[in-house]
Amino acid sequence: MIWWLELSLFGLLVVAALIALSVRDMIAAVATLSVYSFLAATLLALMGAVDVALTEAALGAGVTGVLLVGAVSVVDRRTPD
Amino acid sequence: MNDRYDSVILHFVVRVVMIPLIIVFGIYVLLHGELSPGGGFQAGAIVAAALLLVRLALGNRQAALRIPQGLLIWLACIGLGIYMFGGILPLILGANFLDYAPIPVEWYNQFAGEHRTPRSMGIFIIEFGVFFGVAAVLVLIYDLIAGSSRQ
Amino acid sequence: MKLLMLAFLAGLVALLVWASADLPDRADPHAPANQHLSPELTEMTESEVVIPNLVSAILADFRSYDTLGETFVIFTAGLAVLLVLQRSRRVPEEDGDE
């Protein structure tokens, strides 16, 4: 296993989660959450769980992002926190 | 979200490149569920993602690939019905619920030229049910959210 | 307070990393988690369900009740969203009529 690839992917995962928590714009938060899901899918594919990776990429990075964009368009886009 | 962005590049990429590619990939994942990673759930999510991409990129009033709400509900019910059919068919043929061993496959093997066992035939039926259910419900949820935000 | 929470989180991370050193390797066939049921399911997939994808065989054949419940859960979620959001759209019209 390529250990530095996994380690850098884990680091990017944590960075994406922190950005998604701290960003003010909700659409940007949703996009960063999709990035997080895609990195998680890449990690799962590296671990050999290809079925789970496919589900994570399709549901977590695809459909959930679209549904959250739909939800953000209902509420206010800017958040004070 | 409700107004469409008049960008030629976006329209071209979404209409010509992304949508056919994603839908073909979803159907591939569905039909090769037993041979390669994937299955009904993943294929339903992928096809639903393609349909949601149309709504997100080209606007909700986009006429193409717009499925009426009643048809979506019917598709979800039909998916569950296919799953229950795959469960009840062995029950009629004298086995337990969802035990695919007595499903007849000779006609299908002669028709399609494959060598399927009864159990893989049962998995094939069930994946179609999961596919229709998941795809229809995901598109239905997005249409409802977008419809409630239009006011 | 924030410093205390950061210290607690750092301690938790250190504890988890220290504990993960004892975990068996991924996809190790001699790990305890792979000893109990996995060999039988793998053999049954090869002998009865003759398909290459082990995950599909387990999800849709051996554990098909779970998948049935999962489909029902998704269907119920769609029905719940349908009921909630459709009512919220119909209420102002009724108010306008009366």
Side-chain angles (χ1 to χ4, degrees):
Chain A
M1 195 58 69
I2 317 171
W3 67 271
W4 54 267
L5 182 59
E6 271 192 54
L7 196 62
S8 54
L9 276 175
F10 264 115
L12 281 176
L13 199 71
V14 174
V15 168
L18 288 178
I19 289 176
L21 277 177
S22 64
V23 79
R24 292 281 176 94
D25 194 354
M26 299 274 262
I27 297 284
V30 170
T32 326
L33 212 59
S34 288
V35 171
Y36 174 86
S37 284
F38 192 75
L39 287 170
T42 318
L43 269 172
L44 287 168
L46 268 178
M47 290 178 191
V50 193
D51 277 274
V52 190
L54 196 54
T55 313
E56 178 74 29
L59 268 185
V63 179
T64 308
V66 176
L67 287 181
L68 284 176
V69 166
V72 167
S73 76
V74 180
V75 299
D76 196 8
R77 183 172 164 177
R78 292 269 155 189
T79 168
D81 185 19
Chain B
M1 183 176 83
N2 291 329
D3 48 342
R4 43 189 288 177
Y5 300 100
D6 283 326
S7 161
V8 179
I9 301 174
L10 182 69
H11 279 207
F12 180 79
V13 168
V14 166
R15 280 171 191 266
V16 183
V17 183
M18 300 286 283
I19 299 300
L21 203 69
I22 296 176
I23 288 183
V24 165
F25 179 66
I27 292 173
Y28 167 79
V29 167
L30 170 67
L31 295 182
H32 287 238
E34 311 100 270
L35 308 175
S36 59
F41 194 84
Q42 286 92 337
I46 289 170
V47 170
L51 297 179
L52 297 189
L53 180 63
V54 179
R55 287 152 173 73
L56 197 65
L58 305 182
N60 286 323
R61 284 183 294 269
Q62 175 69 26
L65 295 181
R66 178 135 193 94
I67 308 171
Q69 199 177 62
L71 183 62
L72 281 175
I73 301 169
W74 270 108
L75 273 177
C77 295
I78 283 171
L80 263 184
I82 291 173
Y83 202 119
M84 294 304 281
F85 169 75
I88 289 176
L89 184 65
L91 205 62
I92 295 172
L93 296 176
N96 289 326
F97 185 65
L98 285 170
D99 181 12
Y100 316 127
I103 291 181
V105 285
E106 287 82 14
W107 63 272
Y108 179 80
N109 283 339
Q110 281 188 349
F111 171 69
E114 297 179 24
H115 300 286
R116 243 177 223 287
T117 56
R119 282 176 169 265
S120 72
M121 190 69 199
I123 294 176
F124 197 59
I125 294 173
I126 272 183
E127 276 175 353
F128 268 95
V130 178
F131 168 75
F132 281 119
V134 169
V137 165
L138 287 177
V139 176
L140 176 68
I141 288 177
Y142 180 80
D143 277 356
L144 283 168
I145 291 177
S148 70
S149 75
R150 196 175 295 169
Q151 292 179 344
Chain C
M1 192 63 206
K2 200 169 181 179
L3 207 68
L4 195 69
M5 203 173 72
L6 276 179
F8 174 72
L9 282 178
L12 191 64
V13 167
L15 182 69
L16 286 178
V17 168
W18 176 67
S20 72
D22 280 344
L23 283 179
D25 286 341
R26 287 197 298 260
D28 183 14
H30 302 294
N34 292 337
Q35 287 281 330
H36 173 50
L37 210 53
S38 312
E40 301 164 25
L41 288 181
T42 314
E43 284 166 11
M44 279 174 72
T45 304
E46 283 179 356
S47 62
E48 294 187 20
V49 202
V50 194
I51 62 173
N53 191 355
L54 181 61
V55 181
S56 272
I58 289 178
L59 276 183
D61 194 350
F62 304 129
R63 298 284 182 268
S64 50
Y65 269 102
D66 283 349
T67 314
L68 179 62
E70 172 194 300
T71 315
F72 265 107
V73 163
I74 291 171
F75 185 71
T76 314
L79 280 189
V81 175
L82 182 73
L83 288 176
V84 169
L85 287 184
Q86 263 204 338
R87 175 175 294 176
S88 73
R89 194 163 46 179
R90 198 181 301 152
V91 163
E93 295 176 4
E94 287 173 357
D95 286 343
D97 286 339
E98 289 169 0

